[in-house]
Amino acid sequence: MTATLTDAPAPAASPVSTARAYRFELVKLVSQWRVRLLVLACWIAPALFIIAVSQQTTLPVDMLFGRWMNATGWAGSLVLLGFSGLYALPLLASLVAGDVFASEDRLGTWRHLLVAVRSPWRIFAAKALASLTVLLVMVTGLAVSSVVGGIVAVGGQELVGLDGHVLAPGDAAGKVLLAWACVLAPTLALAAIGLLGSVALGRSPMGLLMPIVVAFAMQFVQMMPVPVAVRLALPTYAFISWNGLFTSPPQLEPLVIGVVVSLVWAVAATALAYVLFLRRDFTDLTHDGGGRRAIALGLLPLVGVLAATAAVVTPATGATGSGIKQEKVQNSVATAFAHLYRLQTRQLNRPDVTEAQLMTTAACTKGGGQIAPEGPGNDWRCVVSWHLPGVEATGSAIYQLDVATDGRFVADGDGPKEVNGYFLVRTPTGDAPNPLWQFDGNVELLPTLPKG
């Protein structure tokens, strides 16, 4: 009697779960010294920077809310938010998301990873989620550290809004945190572009640099006198549209459009990256991107996204031209002056007066009245008029305006010096410049509905 021995078939290996692959990719990211240093810097550096700058007499007045850093800690966090949207967040997106796939090409570990996970889409999802998690930790660190640093350095006093109205500490805190939350959307868009560059360009350095190059290109477009629809169709517009939270009433429409557009870009870029990832040849250890094919499948569809969003925004908002019109400039200047006049009155211990009693108006011209009063430029001139109760004479003051392409303007007092000249006033945090001397404002670029 004999027995025949046969090998039992080996059980089919099941793919690793997405959760387990995510934890593995997250550990790989956090174990990199570069990522650890970036996380540490995001949680410590902002507080130290704001504490140092808030004690100086020379403030970063070229940044939004920079002139108020000596007055309230909330201003410091907003200054850092503006700086982060220009430089820090695009750089973080490049260093984290722009390298998450390219690192496997440099190390030649794709075959080992595919054998271990056995599912390309799980690998893609795990890497995308891991990079997103690290970016969220970094952005949270920037927000928390900047707020803590400002409060420690100056305190949580009331904040002067972008149109001159005063926000109570609780209201200011909520809007500062909301502004930080809103910039998550454009950060996700840049991170998705980083994933796309990392997949499409392989070990090429351009994959790592793609988010920051794209961000700087979009910022350059924002500085140009392009139509409002094109400006709103760029995801980086959400990095500046948060300033509408600090007006009364809030200018929410540009912010909502900016967030939605950013999310559309994030979804589109992630989908393109996924398609390219599934199509690539992982057996080629010298993969440096697909050249023209990568550009055709990666960058050209993003140009299509830009065109499509611009085509949707234009009829939906009715926005045309630069959006900077004479009537809008006059209303913005008059509103900001009225609010700041009340603030100056309180600081000088004079009898209070309401905005309705002041009946403030502004008459603005551009280029000395020789050109059409519209569009950006540093040649705007406004004459502000107001009335005081019980006084027959009408007060007037002159301002020179520098209006940027994004609608932000800086008003510089040009007399009379008793009203908008440079002198110090007493505030709860010490002596400060006259609030009517120089102030920031914002012109809403989208058409506004008539009141009534």
Side-chain angles (χ1 to χ4, degrees), residues 101-228:
F101 290 97
S103 61
E104 306 290 349
D105 287 304
R106 290 196 305 270
L107 299 175
T109 53
W110 275 121
R111 289 183 297 177
H112 304 287
L113 189 59
L114 286 169
V115 170
V117 179
R118 302 183 185 89
S119 174
W121 82 264
R122 284 186 171 89
I123 293 176
F124 183 89
K127 285 184 172 293
L129 291 174
S131 59
L132 173 61
T133 301
V134 173
L135 280 174
L136 289 177
V137 172
M138 290 178 175
V139 175
T140 302
L142 291 173
V144 173
S145 181
S146 62
V147 169
V148 171
I151 293 177
V152 169
V154 185
Q157 291 86 358
E158 58 189 17
L159 172 70
V160 177
L162 197 53
D163 61 350
H165 82 288
V166 177
L167 286 80
D171 191 18
K175 291 189 174 182
V176 167
L177 295 178
L178 180 57
W180 275 101
C182 290
V183 301
L184 287 175
T187 304
L188 291 180
L190 292 180
I193 293 174
L195 296 178
L196 177 59
S198 186
V199 171
L201 301 175
R203 67 180 68 188
S204 172
M206 280 306 300
L208 179 63
L209 297 175
M210 191 168 174
I212 197 167
V213 169
V214 170
F216 284 168
M218 291 182 178
Q219 290 170 15
F220 177 76
V221 174
Q222 295 282 6
M223 293 187 295
M224 301 296 290
V226 297
V228 182

Side-chain angles (χ1 to χ4, degrees), residues 56 58 75 84 169 174 243 274 289 321 345 348 360 375 377-378 398 403 420 424:
Q56 306 299 316
T58 302
S84 298
N243 55 30
Y274 178 66
T345 298
L348 295 176
T360 307
N378 60 358
I398 300 174
V403 184
N420 60 11
L424 297 179

